[in-house]
């Protein structure tokens, strides 16, 4: 699948969410359907109010891999 956004085209996409201990609590691989709902352990637990690290890895149509990292604060 190629996802187009203006001049940027994405061939492969992965998003990861990690807790403060580095445990991966979420993974999604569909840019349109992968939306973290604030749950952990494959949706079985509600994640606590905290700061989480996200990492997005994607590949463009030229085969170049891009990695972006940031934080998100979960507030209940």
């Amino acid at each position: 699948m190629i996802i187009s956004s203006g001049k940027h085209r994405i061939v492969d996409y992965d998003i990861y969410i990690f807790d403060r201990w580095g445990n991966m609590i979420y993974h999604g691989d569909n840019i349109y359907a992968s939306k973290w709902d604030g749950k952990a352990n494959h949706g079985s637990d509600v994640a606590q109010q905290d700061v989480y690290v996200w990492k997005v890895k994607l590949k463009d149509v030229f085969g170049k891999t891009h990695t972006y990292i940031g934080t998100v604060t979960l507030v209940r």
Side-chain angles (χ1 to χ4, degrees):
M1 169 183 357
I2 297 177
I3 300 159
S4 179
S5 171
K7 64 181 180 176
H8 305 288
R9 289 179 170 65
I10 300 169
V11 176
D12 195 26
Y13 171 88
D14 286 287
I15 182 168
Y16 305 90
I17 307 280
F18 300 93
D19 65 17
R20 69 168 77 188
W21 298 279
N23 300 312
M24 183 177 62
I25 62 167
Y26 176 79
H27 171 252
D29 60 2
N30 184 313
I31 197 166
Y32 295 113
S34 297
K35 295 173 177 66
W36 183 48
D37 60 2
K39 294 186 178 176
N41 300 324
H42 306 290
S44 62
D45 296 328
V46 176
Q48 67 182 13
Q49 183 170 305
D50 208 341
V51 177
Y52 295 86
V53 175
W54 58 264
K55 180 178 182 179
V56 171
K57 291 177 69 175
L58 57 92
K59 186 184 294 185
D60 63 26
V61 293
F62 303 107
K64 185 173 179 184
T65 300
H66 304 266
T67 303
Y68 303 95
I69 300 172
T71 59
V72 58
T73 303
L74 181 62
V75 179
R76 301 249 178 232

